[in-house]
Amino acid sequence: MSLVARHLEANGIPTVVVGSARDIVEYCGAPRFVFLDFPLGNPTGEPWKRDMQRAVVGIALDTLETASEPMQTVETDFVWPDPEWRGRYNRLTPDIRARLKAEGDARRDKQNAAKALRQK
Amino acid sequence: MSGGSNAPVPYMERTRQYYRAMGYDKDYVWANNEDAPFTPLKKPLAESRVALITTASDKSQTNIDAKGVRHVWAGPTAPPPDALFTMNTAWDKESTHTDDRESFLPIETMQGFARDGRIGGLTDHFFGAPTVYSHRMTMQRHAPEILERVQADGGDVAVLSPL
């Protein structure tokens, strides 16, 4: 998505990315970025919280007006209600590792079978 | 897993470890740039038309072809869709949900700002950008197509809110 922002920006359209994957957006170099420290999925505010959503979008609009140079992350201070969320996404426990290994093996077997079929 | 209890989640590192656990030895390479293009506003926001861009898919998945490949798509901002399809993108499905479209594609919030005179208005459409493995596909096909559609809709600025 940051690549799309860069392309629009390079072609004369000012952009702002609003999101939560801070490392990925900053690594790519979005022209303007408003960071919401939330689980991935709700980049413009907690579900059903209209006041918060309006505040987040308002910050994005402010950033369009006030940014004077690219790649300056604007941090917001909203806090996700469940403090345990940070450890959850793509976490690896022994059970999950075993399941992922099995899924990966199954996927590779399928790909190899398809490859063998093509070569016949 | 992270540097401190409130440090931003290291998504690139988590994703690398996740795919390594699946047995893939080649890590995904994220796009990386040292600098970025920058275009100042050409006119006040109160006179600007805003284009919204999402990574979600159409509710009936008409932007996904028979091979499961996602394409650039557009939907109307008035009336806005009640829901979009998001299950094919990577987000924290255990910690939250996407039942409230405004939490990731804020059409009505933006319409409120238009009524208040904060922005000139919204473009007639919002736009869907596929998230794909290939940077080249994004840069050579999807980004130019979105630019063309935003321009055709008279968009002056863009707000991108990836899931």
Side-chain angles (χ1 to χ4, degrees):
Chain A
M1 194 67 140
S2 301
L3 289 173
V4 174
R6 292 171 60 88
H7 187 77
L8 294 174
E9 193 93 21
N11 286 279
I13 303 214
T15 66
V16 59
V17 173
V18 188
S20 299
R22 181 173 188 161
D23 59 338
I24 295 172
V25 175
E26 290 183 343
Y27 195 67
C28 185
R32 297 177 195 75
F33 174 45
V34 171
F35 172 56
L36 190 65
D37 196 16
F38 276 9
L40 300 182
N42 308 125
T44 52
E46 260 183 73
W48 314 118
K49 294 212 169 167
R50 293 290 180 256
D51 288 350
M52 182 194 288
Q53 292 164 2
R54 187 174 165 87
V56 172
V57 175
I59 294 168
L61 294 174
D62 292 346
T63 302
L64 278 168
E65 287 178 324
T66 57
S68 56
E69 56 180 326
M71 297 176 78
Q72 303 296 307
T73 297
V74 173
E75 296 180 7
T76 63
D77 52 13
F78 302 101
V79 177
W80 188 255
D82 170 12
E84 300 302 316
W85 72 271
R86 287 167 199 280
R88 227 171 256 144
Y89 183 79
N90 278 2
R91 70 186 179 283
L92 294 171
T93 60
D95 284 359
I96 292 172
R97 279 185 186 280
R99 176 173 62 76
L100 290 176
K101 178 70 169 52
E103 278 178 20
D105 287 346
R107 200 184 285 185
R108 279 182 292 276
D109 286 348
K110 203 174 158 189
Q111 282 164 346
N112 288 336
K115 206 168 161 186
L117 203 65
R118 279 197 302 272
Q119 284 167 352
K120 267 188 186 172
Chain B
M1 278 199 215
S2 57
S5 60
N6 287 322
V9 175
Y11 287 105
M12 291 193 287
E13 183 56 22
R14 288 234 189 132
T15 303
R16 275 192 285 266
Q17 295 303 333
Y18 191 85
Y19 283 97
R20 283 181 198 174
M22 287 186 92
Y24 292 104
D25 49 14
K26 202 174 163 198
D27 291 334
Y28 182 71
V29 179
W30 278 269
N32 182 217
N33 295 283
E34 294 296 317
D35 51 28
F38 190 78
T39 301
L41 287 186
K42 296 195 181 79
K43 52 185 175 183
L45 268 186
E47 297 168 20
S48 297
R49 200 174 283 190
V50 177
L52 293 173
I53 304 176
T54 181
T55 51
S57 292
D58 177 29
K59 191 179 175 185
S60 45
Q61 301 179 50
T62 52
N63 61 309
I64 304 171
D65 68 21
K67 288 182 176 171
V69 177
R70 279 181 280 162
H71 299 275
V72 169
W73 67 287
T77 51
D82 57 346
L84 296 180
F85 180 74
T86 64
M87 294 311 283
N88 57 351
T89 57
W91 51 275
D92 191 342
K93 292 163 181 127
E94 289 178 82
S95 296
T96 189
H97 64 81
T98 54
D99 297 346
D100 173 20
R101 195 234 331 113
E102 287 287 308
S103 75
F104 62 92
L105 180 62
I107 297 173
E108 285 153 77
T109 303
M110 211 54 102
Q111 284 167 338
F113 280 116
R115 280 193 297 275
D116 295 347
R118 178 82 176 90
I119 61 170
L122 269 175
T123 52
D124 289 345
H125 301 88
F126 66 87
F127 304 97
T131 49
V132 294
Y133 190 87
S134 160
H135 305 170
R136 185 191 286 183
M137 178 69 90
T138 301
M139 287 311 292
Q140 294 186 355
R141 190 178 292 183
H142 298 153
E145 193 179 337
I146 287 175
L147 172 66
E148 199 175 292
R149 288 182 183 224
V150 168
Q151 287 172 331
D153 244 21
D156 298 301
V157 301
V159 175
L160 303 91
S161 45
L163 286 158

